[in-house]
Amino acid sequence: MKEHDVQAVLVSYLLERGWTPTIDNPDHVDIRATRGAETLIIEVKGTTSDPYTDTDTLLGQILRRMGDPAARYGIALPETMRAQAGRLPSRVRHLLDLTVYLIDDLGRVSLLQE
């Protein structure tokens, strides 16, 4: 699943939940969504030839974006990269309040749980 496919599915998912997502952001954030006073910032990665390194890169990208203490943050990956996403300890995900969205080949969204 390519990055733009993951992004498109997640944009639809957010719209269904009352968010207003944008993808062409001047600060290069993959998805910035608002819902009332809430802000959600999500970095997206598609299937790659080096999923471990690219997942680490994705985590670095979202960490650099965590400047707004009022915003919520997340990453989105294909379901096939669940193992790579799971390498980030649940304790760290909890401390960062980082949501991990997993997108399967049928376009279903699930969240990586503890």
Side-chain angles (χ1 to χ4, degrees):
M1 178 175 279
K2 296 185 182 301
E3 183 170 321
H4 68 270
D5 297 324
V6 173
Q7 187 177 50
V9 168
L10 197 55
V11 163
S12 293
Y13 173 87
L14 293 169
L15 284 166
E16 291 170 3
R17 283 154 182 77
W19 292 91
T20 302
T22 59
I23 59 172
D24 294 321
N25 298 295
D27 57 0
H28 307 289
V29 168
D30 291 333
I31 299 173
R32 177 181 301 279
T34 58
R35 183 172 64 186
E38 297 176 280
T39 299
L40 179 59
I41 297 169
I42 303 172
E43 287 296 320
V44 177
K45 187 62 70 183
T47 304
T48 70
S49 61
D50 191 355
Y52 287 99
T53 299
D54 290 333
T55 301
D56 289 348
T57 299
L58 176 66
L59 292 169
Q61 289 171 324
I62 196 63
L63 287 173
R64 284 193 309 273
R65 307 257 193 267
M66 290 184 157
D68 180 352
R72 293 172 37 206
Y73 295 88
I75 59 172
L77 302 152
E79 174 66 37
T80 56
M81 294 173 69
R82 175 183 288 272
Q84 290 82 8
R87 289 176 48 220
L88 183 64
S90 60
R91 178 177 180 276
V92 174
R93 288 194 316 268
H94 177 72
L95 287 170
L96 295 173
D97 194 21
L98 182 69
T99 302
V100 178
Y101 301 90
L102 298 166
I103 315 302
D104 72 14
D105 289 337
L106 298 176
R108 295 178 296 207
V109 178
S110 63
L111 303 178
L112 183 64
Q113 301 298 324
E114 303 294 323

